[in-house]
């Protein structure tokens, strides 16, 4: 052993471990075996697994299975990890051994060694009393702690995710109120359509986002179902009969979340459907966000050769060669973030269906992708809201200008002149450049006063049959 290493043992034998590392032999083997991405576990995964270890120590102590002094030290060590300490000790690549054994043992070893230090033992002391397997992992298996940690980690970041969605919806609603007076050309098939108000477009965006928020809330409610205590296969071997319910109560107390039993501990390890459902709800949000971001890019396009109906905040130069160019960079960022998250969701769906018999061994990548989805969405939505939506403005002059040239305004005259007459008026307007009003009067279809009354563009955005209409003549 050199000065930089110490010797640790596991069931396969001895391993050299960095002298100051709190982890042990199994973690070191994982570092050596899986030099894949260079990434480390998300803080949510570390936090959640530490919460499980802390709760288990307390429950096992209360059941008389774990020595009180050892339990106290384990709880203190776990509390340090929960508080965000020792983050450099969690070193296992997300692409690791199936089921998450390496991640579980990383937590077990760090907490055990830190507990031994709290009890006054050196890391090299062969008599250090706290064992990562026998004590920190008591009444547990990777197979029930990892799915439990996935659920707890998602719930840990859920308030941040919901706040980011809520802030975006609020900002869109504020713009809906601000733009309620802006009447503009509607567009379907990317072609001119009957008038809408810019505020109506933004109110629809806001509601779509809130609907996705509701979907995520519903899926998150199913994440609250825990199978902790099933140990290796769901039978609960090596766990006290009261352990499962006590753990749910203790985890609820520690986390502040309302947790409940899955109702079937075998199902909890066989099936990752709740995780896939939660992932899918975030994918649905991404679908909405991509659509909104694309609309922002269209509505702000140009400015001289595009729609230019809204102006996005200029946050950075848009080109290294074209001076003065400004791009819709926050909308582009949101697109890319959402494409990435939808890819994460696809990985979760593939990993979820890969479960076999009593266990889904693909849980590490399910965990990594769920936490990445939440992390990316929170950051992307917060940036889009604060740096784009809040500061965008309406180009009223351009919106009114496009609407004035829109031959589809003749639609409001349909009840009075009929669809076919309306089509003829629209064609002539396009061909001659004359206004709808001019063509209608020239053809003797309506009086000028009636045309003015029927072509009230603000009233058109409220729906109904325009005044003066009677039939659908031909």
């Amino acid at each position: 052993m050199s000065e930089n290493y110490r010797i640790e043992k596991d069931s396969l034998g001895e391993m050299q471990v960095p002298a100051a590392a709190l982890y042990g032999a199994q973690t070191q083997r994982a570092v050596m075996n899986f030099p894949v991405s260079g990434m480390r576990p998300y803080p949510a995964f570390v936090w959640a697994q530490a919460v499980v270890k802390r709760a288990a120590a307390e429950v096992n102590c209360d059941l008389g299975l774990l020595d009180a002094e050892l339990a106290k030290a384990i709880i203190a060590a776990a509390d340090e990890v929960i508080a965000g300490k020792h983050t450099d000790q969690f070193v296992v690549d997300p692409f690791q051994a199936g089921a998450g054994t390496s991640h579980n043992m990383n937590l077990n070893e760090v907490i055990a060694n830190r507990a031994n230090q709290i009890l006054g033992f050196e890391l090299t002391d062969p008599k250090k009393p706290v064992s990562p397997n026998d004590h920190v992992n008591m009444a547990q298996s990777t197979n029930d702690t990892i799915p439990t940690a996935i659920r707890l980690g998602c719930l840990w970041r859920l308030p941040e995710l919901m706040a980011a969605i809520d802030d975006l919806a609020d900002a869109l609603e504020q713009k809906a109120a601000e733009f309620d007076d802006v009447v503009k050309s509607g567009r379907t098939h990317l072609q001119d359509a009957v008038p809408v108000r810019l505020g109506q477009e933004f109110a629809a965006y806001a509601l779509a986002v809130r609907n996705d928020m509701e979907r995520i809330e519903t899926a998150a409610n199913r994440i609250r179902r825990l199978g902790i205590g099933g140990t290796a296969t769901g039978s609960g071997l090596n766990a006290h009969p009261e352990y499962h319910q006590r753990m749910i109560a203790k985890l609820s107390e520690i986390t502040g979340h309302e947790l409940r039993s899955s109702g079937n501990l075998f199902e909890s390890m066989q099936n990752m459907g709740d995780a896939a459902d939660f992932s899918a709800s975030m994918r649905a949000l991404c679908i909405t966000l991509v659509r909104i971001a694309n609309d922002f890019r269209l509505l702000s396009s140009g400015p001289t050769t595009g729609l230019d109906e809204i102006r996005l905040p200029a946050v950075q130069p848009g080109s290294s060669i074209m001076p003065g160019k400004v791009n819709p960079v926050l909308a582009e960022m949101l697109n890319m973030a959402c494409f990435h998250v939808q890819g994460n969701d696809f990985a979760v769906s593939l990993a979820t269906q890969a479960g076999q018999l009593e266990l889904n061994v693909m849980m590490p990548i399910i965990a990594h992708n769920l936490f990445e989805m939440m992390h990316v969405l929170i950051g992307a939505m917060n940036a889009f809201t604060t740096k784009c939506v809040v500061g965008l403005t309406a180009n009223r002059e351009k919106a009114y200008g496009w609407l004035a040239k829109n031959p589809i305004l003749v639609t409001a005259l349909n009840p009075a002149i009929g669809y076919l007459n309306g089509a003829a008026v629209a064609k002539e307007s396009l061909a001659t450049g004359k206004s709808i009003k001019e063509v209608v009067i020239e053809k003797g279809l309506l009086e000028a006063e009636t045309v003015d009354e029927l072509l009230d563009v603000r009233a058109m955005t409220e729906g109904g049959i325009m005044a003066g209409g009677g039939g659908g003549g031909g």
Side-chain angles (χ1 to χ4, degrees):
M1 181 176 66
S2 73
E3 293 181 359
N4 295 324
Y5 292 91
R6 70 177 192 274
I7 297 297
E8 289 272 359
K9 295 181 180 180
D10 63 12
S11 60
L12 292 184
E14 294 184 343
M15 278 293 297
Q16 284 189 335
V17 175
L22 289 175
Y23 55 80
Q26 288 206 50
T27 301
Q28 183 61 33
R29 291 188 195 279
V31 170
M32 296 170 63
N33 288 335
F34 311 115
V36 181
S37 68
M39 295 186 288
R40 293 189 176 187
Y42 272 98
F45 204 15
V46 174
W47 174 88
Q49 195 76 350
V51 167
V52 172
K53 302 302 173 182
R54 188 208 187 283
E58 192 166 344
V59 167
N60 284 321
C61 181
D62 291 343
L63 289 169
L65 301 174
L66 180 61
D67 176 81
E69 185 180 10
L70 299 188
K72 184 178 179 181
I74 291 170
I75 291 168
D79 280 340
E80 290 181 355
V81 175
I82 290 167
K85 297 181 179 179
H86 316 302
T87 56
D88 60 332
Q89 299 299 307
F90 302 104
V91 293
V92 179
D93 199 288
F95 301 92
Q96 58 178 268
T101 300
S102 299
H103 179 72
N104 184 35
M105 287 308 304
N106 194 174
L107 268 291
N108 286 335
E109 290 177 342
V110 169
I111 290 173
N113 275 323
R114 181 62 192 129
N116 284 322
Q117 288 180 330
I118 291 170
L119 292 171
F121 291 83
E122 298 291 335
L123 294 177
T124 54
D125 193 332
K127 296 182 180 179
K128 56 187 181 184
V130 180
S131 162
N133 295 87
D134 295 335
H135 302 126
V136 182
N137 199 58
M138 179 181 285
Q140 301 155 66
S141 165
T142 293
N143 302 354
D144 66 342
T145 61
I146 292 294
T148 299
I150 290 172
R151 292 167 183 270
L152 295 179
C154 289
L155 293 173
W156 186 48
R157 296 218 72 182
L158 183 65
E160 289 179 85
L161 178 62
M162 302 307 271
I165 301 171
D166 195 44
D167 288 346
L168 174 56
D170 282 346
L172 291 168
E173 286 166 352
Q174 289 168 13
K175 291 300 171 182
E178 181 182 337
F179 300 154
D180 189 59
D181 65 318
V182 183
V183 184
K184 50 161 282 180
S185 180
R187 296 178 181 90
T188 59
H189 301 263
L190 291 180
Q191 306 296 307
D192 297 332
V194 296
V196 298
R197 300 196 302 277
L198 187 58
Q200 291 172 319
E201 286 184 325
F202 273 75
Y205 296 149
L207 180 59
V209 170
R210 292 211 181 278
N211 287 341
D212 289 325
M213 184 176 181
E214 181 181 306
R215 271 184 274 273
I216 291 173
E217 278 186 315
T218 300
N221 187 49
R222 287 186 279 273
I223 290 287
R224 301 177 188 277
R225 305 188 292 203
L226 304 186
I228 189 69
T231 64
T233 63
S235 66
L237 182 66
N238 288 343
H240 191 282
E242 297 178 20
Y243 177 81
H244 171 62
Q245 290 297 342
R246 286 183 180 235
M247 280 293 287
I248 291 172
K250 183 58 63 179
L251 289 169
S252 298
E253 175 189 324
I254 293 171
T255 65
H257 293 292
E258 294 182 8
L259 308 171
R260 62 188 186 275
S261 172
S262 67
N264 186 310
L265 305 189
F266 295 93
E267 185 272 345
S268 299
M269 280 168 281
Q270 289 179 2
N271 183 26
M272 295 298 292
D274 289 344
D277 182 37
F278 185 62
S279 176
S281 71
M282 289 189 280
R283 183 196 68 227
L285 170 63
C286 284
I287 291 169
T288 297
L289 295 178
V290 167
R291 182 176 59 80
I292 292 171
N294 286 342
D295 278 6
F296 276 31
R297 294 167 67 193
L298 278 172
L299 292 171
S300 66
S301 61
T304 58
T305 60
L307 298 182
D308 190 33
E309 291 181 347
I310 63 173
R311 295 281 176 89
L312 307 183
V315 296
Q316 67 183 55
S319 172
S320 62
I321 189 174
M322 294 175 281
K325 192 172 191 294
V326 177
N327 296 334
V329 294
L330 271 302
E332 293 166 346
M333 173 279 298
L334 187 62
N335 278 149
M336 288 185 277
C338 288
F339 298 158
H340 182 79
V341 170
Q342 289 180 77
N344 291 140
D345 171 69
F346 185 53
V348 170
S349 70
L350 291 176
T352 299
Q353 72 185 22
Q356 297 168 315
L357 303 177
E358 274 62 66
L359 182 65
N360 186 312
V361 301
M362 305 301 171
M363 290 188 291
I365 204 60
I366 292 174
H368 178 75
N369 280 280
L370 285 174
F371 298 141
E372 184 157 286
M373 293 169 79
M374 299 182 80
H375 185 72
V376 170
L377 274 174
I378 290 166
M381 283 190 292
N382 284 339
F384 183 69
T385 300
T386 59
K387 299 179 185 296
C388 182
V389 179
V390 169
L392 69 84
T393 57
N395 186 349
R396 287 169 165 79
E397 182 179 355
K398 186 63 70 72
Y400 296 148
W402 290 129
L403 180 59
K405 299 176 182 178
N406 184 355
I408 304 300
L409 291 178
V410 75
T411 304
L413 306 181
N414 281 356
I417 66 175
Y419 180 91
L420 293 180
N421 280 333
V425 168
K427 290 178 183 178
E428 187 169 333
S429 174
L430 281 171
T432 64
K434 295 179 180 179
S435 70
I436 295 295
K437 178 180 178 180
E438 289 173 323
V439 176
V440 169
I441 293 171
E442 286 179 3
K443 287 180 172 291
L445 297 172
L446 293 171
E447 297 295 326
E449 295 79 5
T450 304
V451 176
D452 288 338
E453 182 181 357
L454 293 177
L455 293 183
D456 179 349
V457 291
R458 169 76 189 207
M460 290 184 201
T461 67
E462 301 292 350
I465 299 174
M466 301 304 292

